[in-house]
């Protein structure tokens, strides 16, 4: 027989992202099936890119214009330096002016390139992509709606495998477990594996068929409840139908923690 302590936990995804637009514009396409699994960098939405493409073309033109002015300024400065070799042909003040014009042209090229890079990023941001692998929710806006930068929530994406089960352990049980670990009665194969933990779902009765490992212990007790938050990690394989998985974020689960080794 093995002694256990029992807890109620909640499933959470290791990565959960609220997908928002990074530019403002009208939505022109929704490029995913709601509820499907998506890959990192997969496009989910597209915002009308035409205004941003026009701004990029203008910015690139400004770069070319600044580079042409820089070329002329460098040529003027080179001629001034050459003329200055003849005494009295040109004043030092004029040479300094040509040098300053050249430096100003160099700065103008750098500023134009920075502006064009910002415009390029805006064009890129019109493609709203998934930042992680996971399951996408429903699209909260449809084609034709105005999307506002950093304001309009478009959808959510939650990672799927593994899943976390968070639960709170009371101070008495925590101290008991710590003393058993100190005495060597609770062991783990290595530091990365963590302590073993078992989990059961709402329809599994008294069974706890899901095996996991504790991989996180909070750094302080909650003084209002006298509990410490613990996290277990559990595998979440697909069920074979549309890549559905049994563990879902927000699900309540039953968790039991072995206290000490099995005994007769």
């Amino acid at each position: 027989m093995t002694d256990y302590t029992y807890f109620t936990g909640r499933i959470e995804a290791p990565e959960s992202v609220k997908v928002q637009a990074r530019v403002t514009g009208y939505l022109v396409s929704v490029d995913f099936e709601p509820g499907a699994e998506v890959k990192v960098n997969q496009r989910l939405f597209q915002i009308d890119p035409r205004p941003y493409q026009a701004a990029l073309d203008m910015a690139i033109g400004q770069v070319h214009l600044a580079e042409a002015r820089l070329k002329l300024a460098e040529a003027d400065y080179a001629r001034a330096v050459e003329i200055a070799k003849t005494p009295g042909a040109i004043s030092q003040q004029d040479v300094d002016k040509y040098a300053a014009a050249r430096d100003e042209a160099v700065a103008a090229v750098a500023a134009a390139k920075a502006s064009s890079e910002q415009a390029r990023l805006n064009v890129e941001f019109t493609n709203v992509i998934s930042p992680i692998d996971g399951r996408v929710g429903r699209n909260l806006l449809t084609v034709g709606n105005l999307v506002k930068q950093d304001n309009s929530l478009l959808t959510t994406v939650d990672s799927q495998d593994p899943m976390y089960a968070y639960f709170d352990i009371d101070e008495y049980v925590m101290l008991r477990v710590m003393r058993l670990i100190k005495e060597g009665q609770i062991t783990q194969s290595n530091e990365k594996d963590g302590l073993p933990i078992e989990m059961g779902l709402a329809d599994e009765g008294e069974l706890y068929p899901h095996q996991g490992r504790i991989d996180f212990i909070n750094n302080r007790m909650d003084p209002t409840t006298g509990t410490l938050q613990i996290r277990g990690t559990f595998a979440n394989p697909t069920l074979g139908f549309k890549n559905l998985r049994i563990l879902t974020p927000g699900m309540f689960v039953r968790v039991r923690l072995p206290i000490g080794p099995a005994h007769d």
Side-chain angles (χ1 to χ4, degrees):
M1 298 183 64
T2 301
D3 295 328
Y4 294 97
T5 55
Y6 298 84
F7 307 93
T8 299
R10 185 187 292 272
I11 295 295
E12 296 291 346
E15 297 177 290
S16 182
V17 179
K18 294 180 179 179
V19 179
Q20 293 180 308
R22 302 176 71 173
V23 293
T24 297
Y26 287 92
L27 203 61
V28 295
S29 69
V30 178
D31 303 313
F32 66 94
E33 180 183 352
E37 290 201 5
V38 295
K39 297 295 183 181
V40 63
N41 293 329
Q42 178 179 334
R43 191 173 78 179
L44 304 179
F45 301 89
Q46 186 179 31
I47 297 169
D48 189 355
R50 292 174 296 177
Y52 297 101
Q53 184 62 51
L56 174 59
D57 295 340
M58 183 181 297
I60 292 174
Q62 291 297 322
V63 171
H64 295 328
L65 179 60
E67 289 175 340
R69 289 174 177 172
L70 173 60
K71 185 177 180 180
L72 176 60
E74 287 177 338
D76 288 341
Y77 176 67
R79 283 192 294 268
V81 170
E82 187 65 27
I83 294 173
K85 293 179 181 179
T86 302
I90 189 174
S91 67
Q92 183 60 43
Q93 182 179 9
D94 289 336
V95 175
D96 293 340
K97 287 181 179 179
Y98 285 119
R102 180 202 58 183
D103 295 340
E104 182 179 350
V106 170
V109 169
K113 287 183 176 179
S115 180
S116 69
E117 178 62 19
Q118 179 62 55
R120 186 193 65 79
L121 286 175
N122 287 338
V123 172
E124 183 179 319
F125 292 155
T126 59
N127 294 314
V128 182
I129 64 173
S130 173
I132 61 171
D133 292 337
R135 186 174 298 280
V136 65
R138 68 182 182 89
N139 53 301
L140 300 177
L141 290 177
T142 55
V143 172
N145 281 283
L146 176 64
V147 177
K148 295 184 179 180
Q149 177 182 356
D150 300 329
N151 187 32
S152 300
L153 179 62
L154 299 176
T155 188
T156 57
V157 181
D158 293 322
S159 62
Q160 295 294 292
D161 188 22
M163 280 290 185
Y164 290 154
Y166 285 94
F167 60 96
D168 295 325
I169 183 172
D170 63 82
E171 185 174 350
Y172 177 82
V173 173
M174 182 202 71
L175 292 173
R176 183 181 176 190
V177 171
M178 295 300 179
R179 297 189 189 281
L180 290 174
I181 292 175
K182 181 179 178 181
E183 295 168 2
Q185 297 187 48
I186 296 180
T187 60
Q188 56 188 13
S189 58
N190 59 65
E191 188 67 25
K192 292 183 178 180
D193 284 345
L195 299 174
I197 192 173
E198 301 173 0
M199 181 179 68
L201 303 181
D203 65 338
E204 292 174 334
E206 298 300 318
L207 300 178
Y208 292 81
H210 307 279
Q211 307 297 316
R213 292 282 177 174
I214 292 176
D215 70 337
F216 167 76
I217 300 175
N218 208 356
N219 61 350
R220 61 177 297 166
M221 301 285 294
D222 185 339
T224 60
T225 61
T227 58
L228 184 70
Q229 188 179 63
I230 307 291
R231 183 179 75 195
T233 301
F234 295 86
N236 191 27
T238 63
L239 301 178
F241 175 72
K242 291 188 175 182
N243 291 325
L244 292 178
R245 303 170 190 266
I246 195 167
L247 299 181
T248 303
M251 178 184 292
F252 282 98
V253 294
R254 296 172 294 109
V255 177
R256 70 179 184 182
L257 178 66
I259 303 297
H263 54 86
D264 293 335

